Amino acid sequence: RTPVQSDAELRAGLKARADDYRRAGRTRIPVLIDAAADVPWNEVVHLIDLCREMSLPEVEFTAPGCLDDAAAAAPIDQKRAPR
């Protein structure tokens, strides 16, 4: 995936995925963060703040590299529930 260029783009992506979960009848909408060591911590905190502003408080961290393209591309109903 390519990095987002603005908060507006990030919000749009988060909203689209949250809407997918809601359409699938899911009430739990987790946001999984896969932050590599080179990602500035302030950017991670900013993402968490944006999630809270968007009423997406369920933020979880994964080990770097755990969210591969195949898992990210799977339809919502086929994704494994977060731990």
Side-chain angles (χ1 to χ4, degrees), residues 33-69:
I33 298 177
D34 178 357
D38 62 337
V39 175
W41 186 243
N42 65 319
E43 294 295 328
V44 175
V45 172
H46 182 65
L47 172 59
I48 294 168
D49 289 343
L50 286 177
C51 289
R52 287 186 181 146
E53 288 173 17
M54 297 181 66
S55 298
L56 298 171
E58 244 184 272
V59 176
E60 301 176 16
F61 292 90
T62 66
C66 283
L67 298 177
D68 62 15
D69 290 341

Side-chain angles (χ1 to χ4, degrees), residues 4-19:
V4 295
Q5 301 300 312
S6 67
D7 282 359
E9 188 178 343
L10 181 57
R11 285 176 195 270
L14 286 168
K15 182 183 180 319
R17 282 159 188 79
D19 289 347

